[in-house]
Amino acid sequence: SPGRARHINASRRACLVARFGFIYAQERFDAETLLRTYISDMETVQRIIYTAAVESFYAAKMAYWKFKIHVKEALSLRHSGPESLEDAVLDYIVCHKDEYDVHASVKEVIRSMNINPKISFPPEIDFIVLSTLIQELCCLAFSMQTLIPPLDVAFGIDGELFNESKYYRSPDSDFTAAFVAYHVWPALVEDGVVIVKGEVVTKR
């Protein structure tokens, strides 16, 4: 029933949002600690992790889109109702998330990071050391695409005006600065509205 579907969607959404918060609080911190054994500059470490998060969401969204097309083509041959084909596709994906090739997405994220000029691939580290964090983020992002509406991370650019409804400032920020020097963690959005703030460093 529609009521039950809405309840399940709300329950799954709450779990996924909580998972996003846990990754930010714990697994991001673990990744920072790991990277600091290779890289002394904290800004570089935080930029790398932020890039990994954003690229993970992008890769998972692309994988979800391809997977959805494949499922829709397969189900359309035998679908007869009573639910719509679109609902049937979504139900199938929710129940068969294990068919998502997350390892392919992890490779895609690492490839993108290796050519990203903002983090200028440090010779002392291979981004494969972040595979665990990237895999967690890809799985989370893929699941977030099955929500109605889906969740995504906000687009952020260095030098943007600091937005209090979108970000927290890191403790080492200049709290009088009006502009974002760099991003530490992306904000989570639903239909363009921020539901979990990200973290940035502001400097003059």
Side-chain angles (χ1 to χ4, degrees):
S1 69
R4 181 173 176 273
R6 277 195 297 271
H7 174 74
I8 291 170
N9 188 72
S11 176
R12 288 178 51 246
R13 177 186 180 278
C15 288
L16 293 171
V17 171
R19 180 69 187 138
F20 183 79
F22 179 81
I23 292 175
Y24 165 72
Q26 185 59 54
E27 295 175 42
R28 174 188 66 90
F29 178 76
D30 292 343
E32 267 187 12
T33 304
L34 174 64
L35 287 180
R36 287 302 295 272
T37 63
Y38 301 94
I39 304 167
S40 59
D41 181 52
M42 190 59 171
E43 178 178 333
T44 301
V45 166
Q46 290 179 326
R47 282 181 179 274
I48 288 170
I49 292 172
Y50 174 78
T51 303
V54 173
E55 291 290 351
S56 293
F57 266 78
Y58 180 77
K61 285 189 297 179
M62 291 299 101
Y64 176 81
W65 177 70
K66 291 174 185 174
F67 189 53
K68 186 178 179 182
I69 290 174
H70 172 71
V71 171
K72 196 168 189 175
E73 286 174 350
L75 291 185
S76 64
L77 300 174
R78 60 178 189 274
H79 179 72
S80 58
E83 63 182 346
S84 69
L85 176 59
E86 198 68 26
D87 286 345
V89 168
L90 196 58
D91 286 347
Y92 180 92
I93 296 173
V94 169
C95 294
H96 297 84
K97 290 196 299 288
D98 56 328
E99 292 182 19
Y100 164 42
D101 186 359
V102 67
H103 299 294
S105 289
V106 171
K107 287 179 183 175
E108 181 60 28
V109 171
I110 292 171
R111 186 197 67 79
S112 296
M113 291 175 70
N114 282 336
I115 59 173
N116 188 313
K118 281 190 181 178
I119 51 178
S120 59
F121 185 67
E124 64 271 27
I125 184 163
D126 187 331
F127 292 137
I128 202 166
V129 300
L130 293 177
S131 291
T132 300
L133 175 68
I134 293 168
Q135 183 171 325
E136 286 290 329
L137 285 164
C138 285
C139 287
L140 177 70
F142 187 88
S143 292
M144 284 181 167
Q145 303 316 299
T146 66
L147 295 171
I148 304 171
L151 302 183
D152 198 2
V153 289
F155 178 72
I157 52 170
D158 292 351
E160 68 179 295
L161 189 66
F162 174 73
N163 183 339
E164 208 169 77
S165 65
K166 189 175 179 182
Y167 302 118
Y168 294 110
R169 295 181 202 255
S170 284
D172 54 341
S173 292
D174 177 344
F175 280 70
T176 64
F179 297 98
V180 172
Y182 65 92
H183 298 74
V184 175
W185 193 250
L188 191 67
V189 296
E190 180 181 62
D191 268 351
V193 177
V194 174
I195 58 171
V196 179
K197 287 184 183 182
E199 183 181 342
V200 296
V201 173
T202 54
K203 289 180 182 176
R204 287 190 179 279

